[in-house]
C-alpha cells in the first residue's frame, strides 16, 4: 500500500491547493449541473472504493444502495415534503439499513462468490423498484422538489446547488480519508492482505467487513440521495446493474485504493458519457472497450500510475 | 386455477431451467479451467440467438443447421476472445477475470444494440416442430418438448465428453493441476482456448434453442446471467450433474411461482439464494474454491 502523500509534503499541499481552486472556480467556467453530476458520481465512486480499495471486497451491486437512497430521498421530498437535510438523512438511513442486511448475507462467501451474491441481491432490488407502488416503475420519480439547504439557500439556484453538493462531497471525502487512515482502516487492509492471519491475531474479520460494507453503503446512499434531489429524478437506471458496473469502472480507471482516483475516474466517465450522448456512438460499447483496455494495460488506474511514477522519480533522486 | 395453466407454466419453468443448466455448465467448465467467472456468458447466449436469426434471414440457413453452426461460430468468437484478451490476465487475482469479462459483455452487447437496436425480432418455429400434442391434462407444443429434450441431450453429451473422452481427460487434468499436466506434454494454453470456446458455445446453443420461444434481441441475455449466478451460488460449480439438477429444479420453482405468486416470480431464485446462504453458507453442493 502506497501511503497518500501527507499534508506536510510540499507537493501534496500544492496539489490540494490546486484542487481547491479548481473546485471553487469550476462553476464559473462549466455548466453547473454537469459539475454537480460529476461530484455525485465521484462521491459514489469514492464510497465504493472504501470497500474495494481498503477491504478488497468487490461488490457488483452498489447501484442498489445508490438507487434505494435516491428513491427514498425523492419520495420524502416529493410526497412527504420534508426539508432537504431530512431527505438526505432518510436516504442514507435506507441504504445503510439495506447495506446491513445485504452485507450480512454476502460476506458469508468470499472472492468472486461475494461479487455474484451482491449482484444477485442488487438485481432483486431492481425488480422491487420495478414493482413497488411508490417508485413509479418505468417512469421513476420525477419532478422531485429541491427545497432549501439549511432552510436558507434556494437549491433551485444552480450555483447554490453546486456548492451545497461540493460541501457534502468534501465532508464525505474527509470522512473517508479519516476512516482509511484510522486503526480501523489498517485492520481492514490487514484483512484484505491476509485474512487468516488477521483472524489468528484476534480480529473478527467478518465484523470488520460488515462495518466497512455498511459505511460504504451509507456513503453511497448520501451520493444517491443528493443526486435524486439535484436532478429531481430517481429512475430504474439508478438501481440497474449497469450503474454498478459504471462505478466499478470509475474507480478502476481513476485508481483503485487511492483517495483521488475515483474522483478522476468519475470525472472522465461522466464527461465521456455526456460527450458520447450526442455523438451517436454506442456509449456502452465504448465504455466496455475502455474497461477492457484499463484492465489489460493500466490496472493501477490513472492516479495509481501517476503515484507510482512519482515515487519512482523520487527514489531515483534520493539514493 | 386450471391444470392447463399450471402445467404450461411448469413446462416454461423446465425450459428456462434447461437454459440455466447449459449456461451454468459452460460457466463451470470455464471457471474450472481458466479461473474466470465469465459474466459475458449472457452476451454469448444472445449471440447464438442473433447468429441463428441472421443465418435464416441473410443466408436462408434453416433451424437445424443453425443449431449446429451458430454455436460453432459463437465458440470461435469465444476462442478469439480468450486468445486475445483473457490469456493475458491468468496470473492476476480472479477479480480481474470477472471485471475483464464484464468489459467484454458491455462491448459485445453495446455493439449489437448499436447494430440491431433493442427491438425484439421473431424467429419462426421450424416446420418440423410446429404444432403439438394434446395430453389431456395439458397441451404440449412440440417445439417446447424438443427444447427440453435437446438441452438434456446437449448437457449429457457435455458430461460424456468431459468424463469419458481423451480430450475430456486432459481437460480435467488441466483443471486439477495445470503445471503438472503441462509437464506431461499436454498443451494447456490450447486446452484453455478450447475450454473457453466450448463453454461459450454451450451458451450459444441455449441461445439458438431460445430463439423461437423468446424474441431475438440484443438484450435477451442481460438479466439471464444474474439468475445463473444466483443458481451457481446455490448449487456450486463442483459437479456437472449437481448443477444440472439445481438449474432444472430452480427453473421449475420459478414456473410454479408464476402460477402461485406471479409478482414475485422473478425474485424467487434470489430469495432461495438468500435462504441457502443463511442456512448453509457454502452452498447446497459446493465446496469453496
Amino acid at each position: 500500500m502506497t501511503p497518500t502523500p501527507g499534508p506536510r509534503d510540499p507537493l501534496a499541499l500544492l496539489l490540494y491547493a490546486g484542487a481547491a481552486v479548481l473546485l471553487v472556480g469550476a462553476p464559473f467556467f462549466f455548466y453547473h449541473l454537469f459539475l454537480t453530476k460529476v461530484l455525485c458520481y465521484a462521491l459514489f465512486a469514492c464510497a465504493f472504493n472504501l470497500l474495494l480499495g481498503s477491504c478488497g471486497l468487490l461488490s457488483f451491486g452498489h447501484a442498489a444502495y445508490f438507487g434505494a437512497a435516491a428513491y427514498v430521498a425523492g419520495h420524502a421530498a416529493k410526497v412527504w415534503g420534508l426539508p432537504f437535510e431530512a431527505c438526505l438523512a432518510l436516504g442514507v438511513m435506507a441504504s445503510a439499513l439495506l447495506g446491513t442486511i445485504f452485507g450480512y448475507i454476502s460476506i458469508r462467501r468470499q472472492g468472486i462468490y461475494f461479487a455474484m451474491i451482491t449482484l444477485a441481491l442488487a438485481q432483486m432490488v431492481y425488480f422491487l423498484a420495478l414493482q413497488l407502488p411508490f417508485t413509479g416503475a418505468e417512469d421513476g420519480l420525477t419532478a422531485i422538489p429541491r427545497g432549501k439547504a439549511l432552510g436558507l439557500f434556494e437549491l433551485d439556484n444552480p450555483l447554490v446547488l453546486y456548492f451545497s453538493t461540493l460541501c457534502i462531497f468534501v465532508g464525505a471525502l474527509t470522512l473517508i480519508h479519516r476512516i482509511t487512515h484510522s486503526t480501523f482502516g489498517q485492520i481492514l487492509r490487514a484483512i484484505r492482505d491476509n485474512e487468516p492471519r488477521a483472524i489468528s491475531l484476534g480480529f473478527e474479520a467478518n465484523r470488520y467487513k460488515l462495518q466497512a460494507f455498511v459505511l460504504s453503503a451509507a456513503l453511497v446512499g448520501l451520493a444517491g440521495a443528493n443526486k435524486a434531489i439535484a436532478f429531481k429524478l430517481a429512475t430504474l437506471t439508478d438501481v440497474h446493474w449497469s450503474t454498478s458496473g459504471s462505478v466499478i469502472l470509475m474507480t478502476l480507471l481513476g485508481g483503485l485504493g487511492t483517495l483521488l482516483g475515483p474522483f478522476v475516474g468519475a470525472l472522465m466517465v461522466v464527461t465521456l458519457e455526456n460527450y458520447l450522448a450526442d455523438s451517436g456512438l454506442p456509449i456502452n460499447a465504448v465504455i466496455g472497450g475502455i474497461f477492457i483496455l484499463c484492465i489489460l494495460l493500466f490496472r493501477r488506474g490513472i492516479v495509481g500510475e501517476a503515484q507510482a511514477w512519482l515515487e519512482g522519480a523520487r527514489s531515483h533522486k534520493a539514493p | 386455477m386450471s391444470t392447463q395453466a399450471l402445467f404450461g407454466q411448469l413446462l416454461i419453468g423446465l425450459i428456462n431451467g434447461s437454459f440455466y443448466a447449459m449456461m451454468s455448465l459452460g460457466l463451470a467448465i470455464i471457471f474450472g479451467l481458466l479461473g474466470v467467472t465469465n459474466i459475458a456468458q449472457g452476451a454469448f447466449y444472445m449471440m447464438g440467438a442473433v447468429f441463428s436469426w441472421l443465418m435464416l434471414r441473410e443466408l436462408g440457413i434453416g433451424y437445424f443447421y443453425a443449431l449446429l453452426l451458430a454455436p460453432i461460430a459463437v465458440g470461435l468468437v469465444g476462442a478469439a476472445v480468450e486468445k486475445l484478451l483473457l490469456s493475458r490476465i491468468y496470473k492476476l487475482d480472479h477479480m480481474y477475470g470477472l471485471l475483464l469479462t464484464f468489459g467484454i459483455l458491455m462491448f459485445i452487447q453495446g455493439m449489437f444494440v448499436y447494430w440491431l437496436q433493442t427491438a425484439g425480432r421473431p424467429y419462426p418455429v421450424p416446420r418440423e416442430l410446429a404444432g403439438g400434442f394434446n395430453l389431456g391434462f395439458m397441451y404440449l407444443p412440440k417445439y417446447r418438448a424438443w427444447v427440453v429434450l435437446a438441452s438434456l441431450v446437449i448437457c449429457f453429451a457435455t458430461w460424456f465428453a468431459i468424463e469419458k473422452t481423451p480430450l475430456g481427460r486432459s481437460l480435467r487434468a488441466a483443471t486439477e493441476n495445470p503445471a503438472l499436466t503441462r509437464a506431461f506434454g499436454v498443451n494447456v494454453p490450447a486446452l484453455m482456448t478450447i475450454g473457453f470456446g466450448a463453454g461459450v458455445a454451450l451458451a450459444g446453443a441455449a441461445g439458438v434453442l431460445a430463439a423461437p420461444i423468446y424474441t431475438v434481441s440484443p438484450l435477451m441475455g442481460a438479466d439471464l446471467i444474474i439468475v445463473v449466478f444466483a443458481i451457481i451460488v446455490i448449487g456450486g460449480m463442483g459437479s456437472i450433474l449437481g448443477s444440472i439438477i439445481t438449474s432444472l429444479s430452480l427453473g421449475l420453482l420459478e414456473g410454479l411461482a408464476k402460477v402461485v405468486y406471479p409478482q414475485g416470480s422473478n425474485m424467487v431464485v434470489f430469495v432461495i439464494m438468500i435462504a441457502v446462504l443463511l442456512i448453509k453458507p457454502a452452498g447446497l453442493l459446493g465446496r469453496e474454491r
Side-chain angles (χ1 to χ4, degrees):
Chain A
M1 175 75 201
T2 49
T4 25
R8 261 177 238 118
D9 193 331
L11 186 79
L13 267 182
L14 205 71
L15 238 149
Y16 287 131
V21 170
L22 276 181
L23 284 173
V24 173
F28 302 101
F29 299 97
F30 299 100
Y31 182 50
H32 299 98
L33 268 181
F34 167 75
L35 293 171
T36 310
K37 187 173 177 187
V38 169
L39 285 180
C40 287
Y41 281 92
L43 176 53
F44 186 9
C46 289
F48 170 79
N49 187 36
L50 179 63
L51 193 60
L52 180 57
S54 319
C55 211
L57 292 174
L58 172 63
S59 158
F60 231 106
H62 258 44
Y65 318 112
F66 189 72
Y71 277 124
V72 169
H75 187 76
K78 190 178 175 182
V79 180
W80 297 336
L82 292 178
F84 174 64
E85 293 77 13
C87 296
L88 288 190
L90 278 177
V92 171
M93 266 150 59
S95 51
L97 182 68
L98 201 62
T100 313
I101 300 169
F102 284 5
Y104 178 75
I105 295 167
S106 48
I107 56 166
R108 293 168 157 252
R109 295 286 281 272
Q110 286 160 353
I112 47 137
Y113 281 101
F114 175 84
M116 290 195 221
I117 294 165
T118 46
L119 177 61
L121 292 171
Q123 184 73 355
M124 218 170 88
V125 174
Y126 177 81
F127 283 135
L128 279 175
L130 196 60
Q131 285 173 355
L132 285 179
F134 85 97
T135 57
E138 305 276 353
D139 303 329
L141 290 177
T142 50
I144 298 165
R146 287 194 182 118
K148 292 174 183 170
L150 303 173
L152 293 171
F153 308 106
E154 206 55 76
L155 283 169
D156 275 325
N157 177 344
L159 205 59
V160 173
L161 183 68
Y162 171 76
F163 278 107
S164 111
T165 308
L166 184 62
C167 288
I168 291 171
F169 174 75
V170 171
L173 203 63
T174 314
L175 181 65
I176 291 172
H177 184 76
R178 299 291 301 200
I179 292 172
T180 44
H181 288 77
S182 65
T183 327
F184 174 70
Q186 277 171 341
I187 295 170
L188 290 185
R189 279 195 290 283
I191 293 170
R192 177 192 68 186
D193 294 337
N194 194 338
E195 185 167 338
R197 186 105 180 245
I199 294 173
S200 80
L201 286 173
F203 295 113
E204 275 182 68
N206 276 355
R207 210 185 76 205
Y208 286 100
K209 279 190 200 171
L210 182 59
Q211 284 168 355
F213 198 102
V214 175
L215 273 172
S216 171
L219 286 165
V220 166
L222 184 59
N226 193 58
K227 181 241 140 210
I229 306 277
F231 292 89
K232 311 170 96 133
L233 196 67
T235 63
L236 284 174
T237 315
D238 298 337
V239 277
H240 194 246
W241 55 260
S242 58
T243 303
S244 300
S246 118
V247 78
I248 296 176
L249 176 65
M250 291 171 190
T251 310
L252 216 61
L253 192 62
L256 188 62
T258 60
L259 181 68
L260 289 178
F263 175 77
V264 175
L267 178 66
M268 295 189 62
V269 173
V270 174
T271 311
L272 194 76
E273 277 175 348
N274 257 33
Y275 178 73
L276 285 178
D278 305 324
S279 71
L281 283 169
I283 300 181
N284 283 331
V286 173
I287 289 192
I290 296 174
F291 219 117
I292 294 171
L293 288 179
C294 178
I295 289 164
L296 291 181
L297 300 178
F298 54 106
R299 273 180 295 279
R300 280 183 292 199
I302 295 165
V303 173
E305 295 287 347
Q307 271 180 5
W309 181 79
L310 268 179
E311 231 133 85
R314 249 181 240 177
S315 60
H316 266 293
K317 250 186 261 165
Chain B
M1 146 223 334
S2 70
T3 50
Q4 286 279 352
L6 176 66
F7 283 104
Q9 289 296 354
L10 284 181
L11 181 62
I12 291 184
L14 201 58
I15 286 171
N16 283 335
S18 46
F19 293 155
Y20 298 155
M22 290 167 79
M23 302 273 287
S24 57
L25 205 54
L27 277 176
I29 294 172
I30 293 168
F31 184 72
L33 210 53
L34 281 63
V36 168
T37 319
N38 181 25
I39 199 172
Q41 193 81 342
F44 288 107
Y45 162 86
M46 173 273 287
M47 214 186 255
V50 171
F51 279 176
S52 65
W53 172 78
L54 277 176
M55 282 176 185
L56 184 67
R57 205 188 64 156
E58 302 294 332
L59 307 169
I61 296 174
Y63 173 82
F64 290 100
Y65 289 106
L67 189 53
L68 186 68
L69 293 177
I72 291 176
V74 172
L76 288 176
V77 174
V81 165
E82 196 276 344
K83 265 269 167 272
L84 277 173
L85 307 172
L86 286 173
S87 60
R88 291 162 205 272
I89 55 145
Y90 293 146
K91 290 198 177 70
L92 304 173
D93 190 297
H94 283 347
M95 180 182 97
Y96 287 104
L98 181 63
L99 293 176
L100 182 57
T101 50
F102 183 74
I104 295 169
L105 159 72
M106 298 262 292
F107 184 77
I108 294 178
Q109 201 168 284
M111 290 311 272
F112 273 78
V113 169
Y114 183 58
W115 178 32
L116 298 168
Q117 270 71 52
T118 51
R121 290 142 209 274
Y123 185 98
V125 172
R127 207 176 330 110
E128 295 84 347
L129 295 171
F133 315 104
N134 196 347
L135 301 181
F137 57 92
M138 70 175 290
Y139 177 76
L140 177 65
K142 267 189 205 164
Y143 186 76
R144 302 203 161 176
W146 156 256
V147 169
V148 175
L149 203 70
S151 43
L152 284 180
V153 168
I154 292 172
C155 286
F156 179 77
T158 313
W159 172 82
F160 187 83
I162 292 174
E163 296 291 330
K164 304 288 177 195
T165 64
L167 181 68
R169 256 196 292 284
S170 3
L171 215 76
R172 275 183 293 142
T175 305
E176 211 59 51
N177 191 336
L180 195 60
T181 312
R182 218 166 174 166
F184 276 108
V186 177
N187 187 348
V188 173
L191 217 53
M192 287 174 144
T193 311
I194 295 173
F196 190 78
V200 298
L202 274 172
V208 182
L209 289 174
I213 297 180
Y214 302 112
T215 52
V216 177
S217 116
L219 295 179
M220 65 191 283
D223 292 344
L224 188 65
I225 186 66
I226 305 179
V227 179
V228 174
F229 272 7
I231 290 173
I232 283 175
V233 172
I234 295 169
M237 292 197 267
S239 87
I240 294 180
L241 201 62
S243 64
I244 295 174
I245 291 172
T246 319
S247 306
L248 287 178
S249 36
L250 283 167
L252 274 175
L253 270 174
E254 229 178 10
L256 192 66
K258 271 195 194 117
V259 181
V260 182
Y261 185 62
Q263 303 91 320
S265 66
N266 47 14
M267 272 179 267
V268 66
V269 173
F270 302 125
V271 172
I272 293 172
M273 181 192 81
I274 294 174
V276 167
L277 283 171
L278 290 177
I279 298 162
K280 195 166 178 294
L284 287 183
L285 306 161
R287 54 194 161 97
E288 291 265 326
R289 261 191 65 136

